[in-house]
């Protein structure tokens, strides 16, 4: 999807943005941003004063200039939000192109009927054949197929979807390239994945994140305080025998309140969502992106996240008294109906050793892998069993069946585990036979990314079903802070609850139905697009690329959002301090001569000083729009160092820049005023 979106904005789009920013000037729309609402009311009042002075032949130059400057201040703030929103429109367009008028073969009992896709409801079963577009979201209940999901993900490579696996989910609007499937519709009309994504990126109402809401309350409080202060000044001036210009008071109020961050705050929030969308991550709300920046604990599956995930069988290791042929026979029989990459690799390894089982045995009952039992196998027609599974699960099964556990079996398990592999114990209802070694590889660069997260204060925990020795080897290679071995789905949920009970925010990734409870419990739950509908419903983010390691990027996107907002808030408040030294002396010097000592910049006149301050106040907003949209780069430093750098760059910089800029503007304005 992101490949189809242009980052630049052409001339036609700029015209649209300018008009859109003007439409946002309605009082109802402006009221959502209290700081800019006050500026807009001040603009309207200055405009009224200008009109009154003009009609009564009074001087109207200063009120007119002030009105125009304040108008552009508000307009630029709206433009920042419009530019941020424009970044989402291309994504919405590409998604809408995938949502076309489709028809579906709905299964009604033993018959099929063609219906419009819009008539499908949750629970309907639909058959899709090669070349058809998938008419709705759902989970495959029968069949296997390759699907082109480029309309949603932007990736042209086909993906495999298969019933009974964690990759059984299909999305409406994608195309079936090969195979035939029957899937069950998972959403009612208007509630599909594409519908929600389109609504998210172009919705008229954007839900504010918690931190953004808190900052808005703070800025509103500051605005209210300064408004009360300014409202008391005319009475004070009258008491001292002086008179204050209402235009000057409005200018004072605008320069006192935090207009810079008030104008950029919506754009920063939208840009955070856009950065997530650029990474092909769909966040169901801005809150999810923001919370990702505050994450304390990152819960990661080993397979597919830390390692490549395609564990391959590399060796058959027998115990004493068992031939390799007998071990291979049991391992292949238990893998004939195993759809996992591990099961298929066992068949490939046996085939490479010239061992082949031609057909599935008649009358055989296959026992699928379960996260709870952690074993799989087959029960043959003669009631004999061939099983394979995790060493501890197979050891418990052997004890339950009163089968001897060979002494050398533990040695074989340790041997494979110490090499960083996964030992798969194979046995029958007669005796234990040996071990199949499964090897996986840690993804390059993962250790460096974990070190980067550790420096940012994020603790990483690897969760795996492997035995403790294997888990320890992989954990050491990957550089995670902690690991949990021989974990079941409920262990993830328990770990998340324990971490949250300690006041920590937790993020995790998952794709299966059994991951849904933990995804729902986690503060940030990243579901894979290829996963089940249950997982995608439970999580608050969906990765369109189905890359489990994307969770690391999610944390960095969230931190960038928080750092950008914090830096620009610091800059805005520092700006205001400098403007105090401009506006206050300009307004009160005539009434209170002693206040002239604050005029440290020696500006030309009160009028030029006020105009210079207002011009700077207006221009700084569009100047900072690119920074608000792009975000500030996340540095791998401690929180203390980050705060110090923030204060030095954006605090001191925000304090010094206005003095220089306002002085230069005052000199320029003085030559023409």
């Amino acid at each position: 999807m992101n490949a189809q979106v242009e980052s630049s904005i052409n001339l036609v789009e700029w015209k649209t943005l300018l008009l859109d920013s003007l439409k946002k000037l309605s009082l109802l729309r402006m009221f959502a941003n209290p700081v800019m609402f006050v500026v807009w009311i001040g603009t309207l009042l200055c405009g009224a004063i200008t009109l009154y002075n003009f009609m009564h032949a009074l001087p109207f130059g200063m009120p007119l200039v002030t009105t125009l400057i304040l108008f552009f201040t508000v307009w630029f703030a709206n433009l920042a939000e419009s530019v941020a929103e424009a970044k989402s429109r291309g994504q919405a367009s590409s998604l809408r192109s995938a949502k076309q008028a489709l028809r579906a073969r709905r299964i009604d009992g033993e018959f099929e009927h063609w219906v419009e896709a819009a008539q499908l409801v949750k629970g309907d079963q639909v058959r899709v054949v090669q070349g058809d577009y998938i008419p709705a979201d759902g989970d495959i209940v029968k069949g296997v197929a390759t699907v082109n999901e480029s309309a949603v993900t932007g990736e042209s490579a086909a993906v495999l979807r298969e019933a009974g696996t964690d990759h059984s989910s299909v999305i409406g609007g994608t195309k079936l390239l090969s195979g035939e499937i029957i899937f069950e519709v998972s959403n009612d009309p208007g509630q599909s994945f594409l519908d929600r994504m389109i609504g998210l990126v172009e919705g008229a109402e954007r839900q504010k994140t918690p931190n953004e809401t808190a900052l808005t309350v703070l800025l509103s409080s500051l605005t209210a305080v300064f408004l009360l202060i300014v409202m008391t000044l005319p009475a004070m001036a009258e008491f001292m025998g002086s008179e204050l210009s209402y235009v000057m008071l409005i200018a004072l109020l605008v320069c006192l309140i935090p207009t810079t961050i008030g104008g950029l705050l919506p754009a920063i929030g939208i840009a955070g969502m856009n950065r997530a969308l650029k990474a092909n991550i769909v966040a169901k709300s801005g809150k999810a992106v923001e919370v990702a920046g505050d994450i304390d604990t990152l819960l990661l599956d080993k397979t597919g996240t830390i390692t490549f995930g395609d564990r391959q069988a590399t060796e058959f290791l027998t115990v004493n008294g068992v031939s390799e042929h007998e071990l291979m026979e049991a391992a292949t029989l238990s893998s004939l109906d195993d759809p996992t990459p591990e099961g298929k690799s066992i068949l490939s390894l046996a085939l490479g050793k010239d061992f082949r089982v031609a057909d599935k045995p008649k009358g055989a009952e296959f026992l699928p892998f379960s996260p709870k039992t952690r074993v799989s196998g087959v029960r043959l027609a003669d009631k004999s069993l061939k099983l394979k599974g995790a060493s501890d699960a197979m050891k418990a099964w052997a004890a339950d069946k009163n089968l001897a556990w060979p002494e050398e079996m533990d040695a074989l398990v340790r041997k494979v585990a110490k090499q960083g592999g996964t030992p798969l114990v194979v046995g029958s209802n007669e005796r234990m036979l040996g071990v199949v070694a499964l090897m996986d590889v840690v993804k390059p660069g993962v250790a460096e990314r974990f070190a980067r997260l550790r420096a940012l204060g994020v603790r990483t925990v690897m969760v795996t079903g492997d035995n403790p020795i294997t888990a320890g080897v992989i954990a050491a290679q990957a550089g995670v802070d902690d690991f949990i071995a021989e974990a079941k789905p409920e262990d993830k949920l328990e770990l998340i609850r324990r971490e949250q009970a300690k006041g920590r925010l937790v993020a995790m990734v998952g794709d299966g139905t059994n991951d849904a409870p933990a995804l729902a419990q986690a503060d940030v739950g990243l579901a894979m697009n290829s996963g089940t509908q249950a997982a995608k419903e439970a999580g608050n983010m969906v990765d369109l690329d189905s890359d489990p390691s994307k969770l690391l990027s999610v944390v960095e996107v969230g931190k960038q959002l928080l750092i950008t907002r914090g830096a620009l808030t610091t800059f805005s408040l520092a700006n205001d301090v400098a403007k105090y030294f401009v506006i206050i002396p300009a307004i009160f010097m005539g009434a209170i001569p002693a206040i002239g000592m604050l005029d440290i910049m020696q500006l030309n006149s009160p009028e030029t000083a006020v105009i210079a301050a207002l011009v700077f106040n207006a221009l700084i907003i569009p100047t900072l729009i690119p920074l608000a949209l792009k975000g500030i780069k996340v540095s791998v430093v401690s929180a203390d160092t980050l705060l110090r750098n923030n204060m030095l760059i954006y605090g001191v910089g925000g304090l010094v820049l206005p003095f220089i800029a306002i002085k230069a503007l005052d000199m320029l304005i003085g030559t023409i005023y």
Side-chain angles (χ1 to χ4, degrees):
M1 177 177 65
N2 57 338
Q4 303 177 26
V5 180
E6 295 292 335
S7 59
S8 59
I9 300 175
N10 59 39
L11 183 60
V12 175
E13 289 172 328
W14 269 115
K15 292 180 180 178
T16 303
L17 291 179
L18 294 175
L19 290 174
D20 183 61
S21 57
L22 287 174
K23 293 177 182 177
K24 294 178 182 291
L25 292 174
S26 72
L27 289 176
L28 187 61
R29 292 286 299 273
M30 293 299 301
F31 189 74
N33 188 336
V35 176
M36 300 314 298
F37 177 75
V38 170
V39 179
W40 183 228
I41 294 297
T43 306
L44 297 178
L45 290 175
C46 281
I49 293 172
T50 302
L51 183 61
Y52 177 86
N53 286 3
F54 176 76
M55 293 179 65
H56 291 79
L58 298 173
F60 63 88
M62 184 65 183
L64 177 62
V65 171
T66 303
T67 301
L68 292 175
I69 296 174
L70 293 184
F71 172 80
F72 282 107
T73 301
V74 179
W75 189 18
F76 289 153
N78 288 343
L79 183 63
E81 185 175 359
S82 296
V83 171
E85 290 172 344
K87 299 293 184 178
S88 300
R89 291 196 184 110
Q91 291 158 328
S93 298
S94 65
L95 291 171
R96 191 176 285 105
S97 66
K99 185 177 169 57
Q100 46 189 302
L102 300 174
R103 302 189 72 207
R105 295 182 183 87
R106 186 173 64 191
I107 299 174
D108 296 318
E110 298 180 359
F111 303 97
E112 293 181 4
H113 300 284
W114 282 100
V115 299
E116 298 298 324
Q119 295 178 308
L120 295 174
V121 297
K122 186 175 182 179
D124 283 347
Q125 289 200 346
V126 179
R127 186 169 70 92
V128 185
V129 301
Q130 181 176 329
D132 286 353
Y133 281 91
I134 296 170
D137 297 352
D139 283 309
I140 300 174
V141 295
K142 183 179 180 181
V144 57
T146 54
V147 182
N148 179 359
E149 295 184 344
S150 59
V152 176
T153 67
E155 298 294 333
S156 58
V159 295
L160 184 68
R161 296 289 179 260
E162 186 173 0
T165 70
D166 285 341
H167 301 279
S168 61
S169 174
V170 291
I171 301 174
T174 58
K175 187 175 183 180
L176 202 71
L177 298 180
S178 65
E180 180 177 323
I181 60 171
I182 295 176
F183 75 93
E184 183 174 301
V185 178
S186 58
N187 295 304
D188 289 321
Q191 299 296 317
S192 71
F193 187 66
L194 285 178
D195 287 323
R196 283 179 289 174
M197 287 179 66
I198 292 171
L200 175 70
V201 298
E202 65 173 12
E205 296 297 328
R206 183 181 67 88
Q207 184 180 7
K208 291 184 179 181
T209 62
N211 283 351
E212 185 179 351
T213 300
L215 184 55
T216 300
V217 171
L218 173 62
L219 298 180
S220 302
S221 300
L222 289 174
T223 301
V225 169
F226 287 126
L227 181 61
L228 289 174
I229 291 173
V230 171
M231 289 174 65
T232 63
L233 292 180
M236 294 175 60
E238 184 178 355
F239 177 77
M240 292 184 292
S242 181
E243 186 177 352
L244 294 177
S245 164
Y246 287 111
V247 172
M248 286 289 195
L249 288 174
I250 292 172
L252 172 63
L253 176 62
V254 170
C255 288
L256 286 176
I257 64 178
T259 52
T260 303
I261 187 60
L264 293 173
L265 192 58
I268 295 171
I270 296 171
M273 294 284 288
N274 288 341
R275 280 192 290 274
L277 285 167
K278 276 189 176 181
N280 261 6
I281 298 166
V282 177
K284 295 182 180 179
S285 70
K287 178 181 178 181
V289 178
E290 184 179 87
V291 172
D294 284 328
I295 286 299
D296 301 299
T297 303
L298 202 56
L299 206 60
L300 300 153
D301 280 326
K302 186 204 77 174
T303 305
T305 305
I306 294 174
T307 64
F308 281 106
D310 52 348
R311 293 185 297 183
Q312 300 293 307
T314 57
E315 193 175 3
F316 292 109
L317 303 171
T318 61
V319 296
N320 293 336
V322 176
S323 67
E324 187 178 52
H325 182 278
E326 185 180 358
L327 174 60
M328 285 192 295
E329 180 183 35
T332 52
L333 282 172
S334 64
S335 302
L336 284 175
D337 204 45
D338 186 348
T340 65
E342 293 86 350
K344 293 174 181 177
S345 73
I346 289 174
L347 298 178
S348 298
L349 179 62
L351 186 62
K353 293 179 175 289
D354 296 324
F355 183 88
R356 182 197 302 260
V357 176
D359 298 306
K360 296 179 181 179
K362 292 183 179 180
E365 178 190 355
F366 290 95
L367 309 174
F369 174 82
S370 163
K372 188 171 184 178
T373 63
R374 295 189 296 137
V375 299
S376 63
V378 62
R379 180 180 286 108
L380 301 176
D382 61 2
K383 304 302 181 182
S384 62
L385 279 172
K386 309 293 182 184
L387 290 181
K388 67 180 189 298
S391 59
D392 63 317
M394 289 297 290
K395 194 170 188 176
W397 177 80
D400 185 60
K401 299 298 181 183
N402 294 318
L403 295 177
W405 185 263
E407 293 182 4
E408 61 269 30
M409 186 71 82
D410 288 330
L412 293 177
V413 168
R414 285 194 298 270
K415 175 185 175 182
V416 175
K418 286 180 179 179
Q419 295 172 349
T422 301
L424 207 59
V425 174
V426 181
S428 69
N429 56 343
E430 297 176 351
R431 59 176 174 169
M432 306 309 295
L433 304 174
V435 171
V436 178
L438 301 174
M439 300 301 294
D440 201 353
V441 179
V442 174
K443 292 181 178 180
V446 165
E448 289 76 8
R449 296 193 75 176
F450 286 153
R452 179 182 175 87
L453 288 171
R454 189 177 301 110
L456 293 171
V458 180
R459 174 172 168 263
T460 52
V461 180
M462 182 184 79
V463 181
T464 176
D466 289 338
N467 63 72
I469 299 176
T470 301
V473 172
I474 296 295
Q477 293 176 2
V480 296
D481 297 308
D482 199 359
F483 68 90
I484 297 177
E486 298 176 345
K488 299 180 181 67
E490 54 266 28
D491 294 333
K492 295 181 183 179
L493 184 60
E494 179 59 29
L495 174 61
I496 292 172
R497 287 173 174 168
R498 286 204 308 268
E499 292 289 310
Q500 290 173 333
K502 298 175 184 176
R504 297 170 181 163
L505 296 177
V506 184
M508 75 156 287
V509 64
D511 58 2
T513 301
N514 56 16
D515 288 326
L519 285 169
Q521 180 69 35
D523 300 285
V524 175
L526 179 64
M528 299 295 97
N529 182 42
S530 62
T532 62
Q533 288 294 331
K536 288 193 282 189
E537 290 293 334
N540 50 22
M541 287 187 176
V542 177
D543 175 24
L544 299 179
D545 296 329
S546 299
D547 177 7
S549 63
K550 192 75 70 68
L551 189 56
L552 307 179
S553 301
V554 169
V555 173
E556 293 181 345
V557 167
K559 286 195 175 295
Q560 188 176 37
L561 169 63
L562 295 177
I563 290 171
T564 301
R565 186 185 294 145
L568 291 182
T569 300
T570 303
F571 184 84
S572 175
L573 295 178
N575 267 204
D576 293 339
V577 174
K579 286 179 286 187
Y580 300 160
F581 284 92
V582 176
I583 297 291
I584 293 177
I587 293 178
F588 294 103
M589 198 180 303
I592 312 174
I595 209 170
M597 62 178 4
L598 295 178
D599 186 19
I600 58 178
M601 287 191 285
Q602 298 296 307
L603 302 179
N604 283 308
S605 68
E607 289 78 11
T608 60
V610 170
I611 293 173
L614 290 176
V615 169
F616 173 81
N617 196 56
L619 293 180
I620 199 65
I621 294 177
T623 303
L624 292 176
I625 288 177
L627 182 61
L629 298 182
K630 184 179 180 181
I632 294 170
K633 185 178 179 181
V634 179
S635 302
V636 185
V637 294
S638 66
D640 291 340
T641 303
L642 182 64
L643 178 61
R644 184 175 65 250
N645 293 344
N646 184 43
M647 295 303 296
L648 287 174
I649 298 173
Y650 297 98
V652 176
L655 188 64
V656 173
L657 177 63
F659 282 104
I660 299 172
I662 290 173
K663 179 63 177 179
L665 287 169
D666 178 76
M667 294 173 62
L668 177 63
I669 294 169
T671 61
I672 58 177
Y673 189 76

